[in-house]
Amino acid sequence: MTSPLLIDQSPAWKALLKHKKTLSNTALKTLFEQNPQRGQTFKASAAGLYFDYSKNLLTDETLKLLNELADSAQLPAAIEELFSGADVNNTEQRPALHTALRALDSNTDTANEGEFTSSLAQMRNTMNAFADRLRQGDERGTSGKAFRDVINLGIGGSDLGPRMIVAAFPELQAEGLRSHFAANVDSDVLKGILSQCQPETTLFLISSKSFSTLETLSNAGLARQWLSNAGFDNTQITCHFAAMTSQIEKATTWGVKPERIFPMDEGVGGRFSLWSSIGLPIAIALGSDAFSQLLDGASAMDKHFRNADFSENLPVLHGLLSIWSINFNGHHSRAVLPYIHRLGELPNYLQQLTMESLGKRVTKTGQPCTYATGPVIWGSEGTNGQHSCHQLLLQGIGAVPVDFVATTKAHCEPLQHQYLVANCFAQSRALMLGKSYEQALEETRSLGLSEDEAAQLAMHKAIPGNRVSNTLLLEEFNPHTLGALLAFYEHSVYVQSVIWQINAFDQWAVELGKTMSTTIFEVLEKTASKHELDSSSQALINHIQASHPTP
Ligand code: F6P
């Protein structure tokens, strides 16, 4: 692979830097005053999503230049590469096949056809049939009783997506069948779940693409022990496990029955895998129809991303605006605030999707990036966050762009939905408009304070404003629009990776922590010497061993 010119050397990047200077004294508020139609101008809709990006500090010229940047980074060709199954994950020489997983039912224009598609169709049918049998009480444990509890053992991409989606639709849960998720290696998590379950009616799903993740295998071991403690022999234990993995042999060796192993392709990345067999907990909890609707929604967003003009292409706009925020306005963090309790897990999910994909410091050809890349993603559900972290968003030093997410049609009681929407829109207005010192002073003067006291208090009450946000509205809250929302974020991440010339689909740094933890585990277990370690690690280990000596 030859090294292209770094993107910050392109004329489009330089033009954006220059353009930013022309906007440095322009307030967002002024842009709204200058163009009363701004809210109608800077918006786009697709696949059941309405995207308002008018509260970004931008003009038509900004969008034109961002488009030129996209062209310089050859974004149109990169989008085609993604959909046509090219090896976009160059360090692992793999395609990224998540869009092919969604194209299956809608029989669309993906090039990932043939063998892959037919094995995928077969896997989807087997998985859906298994999920439906479970929901109907026809899949039974060793004593012949129907399963009542399904526990997903997985972490990262093998946990976050299914966990979030299952929590989003409690009304679709099959009666008498409960779903649980255990990710952390901290045994208190699984123990807490097991205390509510009976061995005879519990099914464990070992969800691990690699079938080698410490947390997941440790929890699977605890699960096996729990069944054994209940008096199950090895054959009986086997009846209580299923697995979703690309490592069929490892799962079989572990003791999962071949007919209970649901394969996934190596070309599906962990954080993009909820659309594969990793989505089995979704099909079990919500039903195969809901799972299909989720895939259809994502597929609708895929078609939009692939075909829509950049001027109205939601993921492209969102991705380019993130670049604008990070590289030209110096905002290195983004808050995601869903005003939908059902989506309380969205910030966690997006944290992995974005930070594992975009937390890179060299380009695809190994050149150090001379510009900032992936943002810190955080957030919490509204309105809860208004009583915890929004103080910093409104008055802290340094702006944090926000993505507000809400629903158009009430997803909860109508009156409470109005409260949610009112608060959501009010927060984006408060961030944009703030409160001037003069307004604050008028307020404090009316309190009957001395002029000095009023002036000092006004300093505390003034809010800078001019803080940017996007607002995303889901027409209606259902699996289809949720699928579209998740695909929207996946594609925005891809757009950003293409502009930054980085690989969104690998995660080499994660390996270092895994290797080091193995060494330290061996030291703790006294099968390796601590002398190779740094003095801080040694002292910490000494402290633990001195406080709680092991035999
Ligand atoms: O955190 C690293 C990672 O590899 C993620 O990318 C992945 O989603 C997670 O671990 C779990 O991996 P696996 O599904 O192989 O157990």
Side-chain angles (χ1 to χ4, degrees):
M1 211 179 208
T2 50
S3 298
L5 207 62
L6 287 172
I7 192 68
D8 61 352
Q9 298 306 311
S10 67
W13 185 283
K14 290 177 183 164
L16 276 160
L17 282 176
K18 234 184 188 172
H19 171 65
K20 167 62 197 158
K21 283 192 189 139
T22 67
L23 283 179
S24 55
N25 292 322
T26 310
L28 201 41
K29 197 165 106 177
T30 316
L31 293 176
F32 272 88
E33 283 160 5
Q34 285 169 354
N35 174 10
Q37 297 303 310
R38 187 175 170 85
Q40 277 82 45
T41 311
F42 296 114
K43 65 155 176 51
S45 313
L49 298 192
Y50 178 102
F51 178 47
D52 171 8
Y53 57 99
S54 61
K55 296 192 192 88
N56 282 274
L57 193 62
L58 60 81
T59 62
D60 287 330
E61 180 65 9
T62 323
L63 288 177
K64 185 183 137 263
L65 294 173
L66 285 169
N67 258 293
E68 285 173 21
L69 186 70
D71 283 340
S72 305
Q74 295 171 5
L75 181 61
I79 294 174
E80 270 321 293
E81 274 175 17
L82 174 71
F83 282 94
S84 62
D87 280 354
V88 287
N89 178 353
N90 66 312
T91 60
E92 295 177 302
Q93 286 149 26
R94 283 178 196 160
L97 296 176
H98 49 290
T99 59
L101 294 168
R102 298 140 7 177
L104 189 62
D105 297 333
S106 46
N107 196 18
T108 46
D109 40 359
T110 180
N112 301 303
E113 281 162 3
E115 217 176 290
F116 174 72
T117 311
S118 74
S119 72
L120 184 60
Q122 207 180 0
M123 182 283 292
R124 184 79 50 75
N125 290 340
T126 320
M127 160 185 159
N128 281 343
F130 179 67
D132 290 341
R133 282 199 307 278
L134 260 169
R135 285 171 69 81
Q136 287 149 10
D138 294 338
E139 277 290 329
R140 289 160 195 273
T142 187
S143 66
K145 289 188 184 164
F147 289 116
R148 307 185 68 82
D149 289 282
V150 178
I151 308 179
N152 190 69
L153 309 174
I155 196 161
S158 300
D159 166 68
L160 292 163
R163 182 194 288 266
M164 168 183 62
I165 293 160
V166 168
F169 301 101
E171 69 283 1
L172 296 181
Q173 294 265 350
E175 222 185 297
L177 191 62
R178 299 187 298 180
S179 299
H180 313 267
F181 292 85
N184 201 331
V185 72
D186 186 331
S187 51
D188 283 350
V189 178
L190 186 56
K191 265 173 80 181
I193 297 170
L194 294 179
S195 68
Q196 310 159 37
C197 304
Q198 296 303 321
E200 286 182 333
T201 52
T202 300
L203 175 71
F204 295 94
L205 305 176
I206 308 179
S207 178
S208 177
K209 178 180 168 184
S210 61
F211 216 88
S212 64
T213 301
L214 167 80
E215 292 87 340
T216 304
L217 293 185
S218 163
N219 278 326
L222 287 176
R224 182 150 60 184
Q225 188 59 52
W226 182 69
L227 294 171
S228 162
N229 293 347
F232 288 21
D233 64 25
N234 277 343
T235 319
Q236 291 171 319
I237 286 175
T238 311
C239 294
H240 289 256
F241 283 94
M244 301 88 90
T245 185
S246 66
Q247 300 300 315
I248 315 293
E249 229 180 280
K250 284 188 187 169
T252 317
T253 310
W254 192 91
V256 185
K257 289 190 205 174
E259 66 272 25
R260 285 269 185 86
I261 299 176
F262 301 93
M264 66 184 285
D265 197 276
E266 275 292 355
V268 177
R271 53 194 172 276
F272 298 87
S273 66
L274 72 91
W275 323 98
S276 71
S277 62
I278 296 291
L280 180 60
I282 306 172
I284 293 172
L286 311 182
S288 52
D289 282 352
F291 189 53
S292 291
Q293 287 164 30
L294 187 84
L295 292 160
D296 284 349
S299 168
M301 184 54 73
D302 292 343
K303 284 184 215 153
H304 167 77
F305 177 53
R306 193 174 186 184
N307 302 316
D309 191 86
F310 283 1
S311 63
E312 51 196 40
N313 193 314
L314 271 66
V316 170
L317 287 165
H318 187 268
L320 292 177
L321 289 173
S322 176
I323 301 278
W324 173 237
S325 278
I326 294 167
N327 300 110
F328 302 94
N329 292 278
H331 304 147
H332 299 288
S333 152
R334 175 170 294 273
V336 181
L337 309 175
Y339 276 66
I340 310 170
H341 168 69
R342 291 156 176 267
L343 280 189
E345 298 285 340
L346 182 67
N348 280 346
Y349 168 81
L350 291 181
Q351 217 165 42
Q352 187 203 15
L353 177 67
T354 313
M355 294 170 76
E356 211 167 72
S357 301
L358 301 178
K360 311 287 162 66
R361 55 191 299 115
V362 298
T363 66
K364 285 179 97 168
T365 54
Q367 296 181 83
C369 295
T370 44
Y371 36 83
T373 57
V376 174
I377 297 288
W378 59 282
S380 68
E381 70 182 68
T383 58
N384 300 13
Q386 290 177 208
H387 304 275
S388 57
C389 50
H390 290 215
Q391 167 64 35
L392 180 142
L393 295 177
L394 287 154
Q395 262 189 334
I397 291 176
V400 178
V402 176
D403 280 0
F404 290 98
V405 185
T407 51
T408 306
K409 186 174 166 201
H411 62 273
C412 61
E413 293 297 327
L415 175 66
Q416 280 66 27
H417 179 253
Q418 299 283 53
Y419 287 139
L420 279 173
V421 170
N423 275 278
C424 175
F425 295 177
Q427 288 296 308
S428 67
R429 258 173 74 72
L431 285 166
M432 169 174 73
L433 299 175
K435 185 192 281 183
S436 69
Y437 175 73
E438 289 70 29
Q439 284 172 308
L441 189 60
E442 210 178 301
E443 264 178 40
T444 54
R445 275 184 180 148
S446 70
L447 299 173
L449 304 171
S450 73
E451 192 54 26
D452 274 2
E453 285 168 340
Q456 202 186 87
L457 188 56
M459 286 299 286
H460 294 275
K461 290 192 154 216
I463 298 167
N466 211 26
R467 300 209 158 171
V468 306
S469 65
N470 296 314
T471 302
L472 279 150
L473 297 178
L474 278 69
E475 228 161 61
E476 195 177 332
F477 191 75
N478 57 38
H480 193 277
T481 52
L482 182 54
L485 178 74
L486 302 181
F488 159 82
Y489 273 112
E490 285 179 348
H491 294 321
S492 167
V493 161
Y494 184 62
V495 168
Q496 294 169 65
S497 76
V498 171
I499 304 290
W500 287 322
Q501 303 161 308
I502 59 180
N503 182 352
F505 303 108
D506 59 10
Q507 60 282 320
W508 294 104
V510 177
E511 299 308 317
L512 180 64
K514 286 185 190 168
T515 319
M516 286 193 178
S517 81
T518 307
T519 313
I520 295 184
F521 178 77
E522 285 165 2
V523 172
L524 288 168
E525 291 285 296
K526 300 196 172 139
T527 55
S529 152
K530 65 181 99 166
H531 299 299
E532 299 294 307
L533 301 177
D534 61 274
S535 63
S536 164
S537 302
Q538 285 192 37
L540 288 165
I541 290 169
N542 288 343
H543 180 75
I544 286 205
Q545 288 180 336
S547 315
H548 301 283
T550 48

